[in-house]
Amino acid sequence: MLAVVRCLEAWRHFLEGTTTRFEIWTDHNNLEYFMKAQKLNRRQVRWALYLSRFNFMLKHIPGSKIGKADSLSRRPDWEVEVERDNEDKTLVKPEWLEVRRTERVEIIVEGVDLLEKVRKSKVKDDEVVKAVEEMKQAGVKMLRDKEWREEDGIMYKEGKVYVSKDDILRAEIIRLHHNTLVGGHRGQWKTVELITQNFWWPGVTKEMKQYVEGCNSCQRNKNHTEQLAGKLMPNSIPEKPWTHISADFITKLPIAQGYDSILVVVDRLTKMVHFIPTTEKTSAEGLARLFRDNV
């Protein structure tokens, strides 16, 4: 049926809208099955809509009696290596993945050459230092079944660029993947997923969480998902006097007897008040002494 649809698409300008019914010869007898009412899938429904634009009749002719059509589709020179034409073929070549991984770093952080900054940074974590020493002792560029490898002065862990122990560089990588238009101020896990497509360093998830929690734009514009605080409840009534108090200062008063402020202490139960003269320069130790001596 697909061959019939493709042929009609190729010859549409001759066959569509004709008043004379034309015949489609085929050696597939099962196509007559579609000439009767059936339950069609979505692809067959699309074909049926397209075929409704043509005035045709499917006619079955055995392959032995349709030699002219067979001579066009069964040329002897097309049979050469037909049975083995798909052997030893690789669908996805390994070099495609590595090249694309490197290029994607530059596309995401357009205008910033992060690979060059990673290459110049020399401070490394203990795990990486150990891996580099093992590679130097063995005289190889790859270690532990491709877990670690070095290429152009850059260390790779499982195909991802290792970012050295440089807080400024790591913070810049996070910023470029979170604050830019490409990053879009996405949440913690989405940003981690975006970063770890190309980069890796120990504790990247923890640092990303701290960065998102401290992002000014995210905290001001995004909805908070924590549980609601609930209804406001009145404070419980104290059972004894002076177990619950409130205190406040009255300042900027005219100086009288060396004092320019008043410390007001109120008992919540009896509403009894202490007015204690003091100054604005009272220290924490001085405030504690006022409470001890007057309250």
Side-chain angles (χ1 to χ4, degrees), residues 17-57:
T18 59
T19 57
T20 304
R21 174 173 293 188
F22 59 90
E23 295 181 352
I24 298 178
W25 293 1
T26 176
D27 59 355
H28 292 277
N29 192 27
N30 57 345
L31 288 182
E32 295 183 355
Y33 170 83
F34 293 104
M35 301 300 292
K36 303 176 184 178
Q38 306 293 342
K39 183 178 179 180
L40 306 178
N41 58 34
R42 295 181 179 181
R43 178 181 294 179
Q44 293 168 351
V45 170
R46 292 195 298 269
W47 287 349
L49 290 174
Y50 185 75
L51 294 176
S52 63
R53 296 157 54 181
F54 300 90
N55 184 14
F56 68 95
M57 172 64 69

Side-chain angles (χ1 to χ4, degrees), residues 148-159:
W148 291 98
R149 64 183 177 87
E150 184 178 7
E151 183 178 333
D152 295 334
I154 298 177
M155 290 295 298
Y156 291 85
K157 179 179 173 62
E158 298 178 354

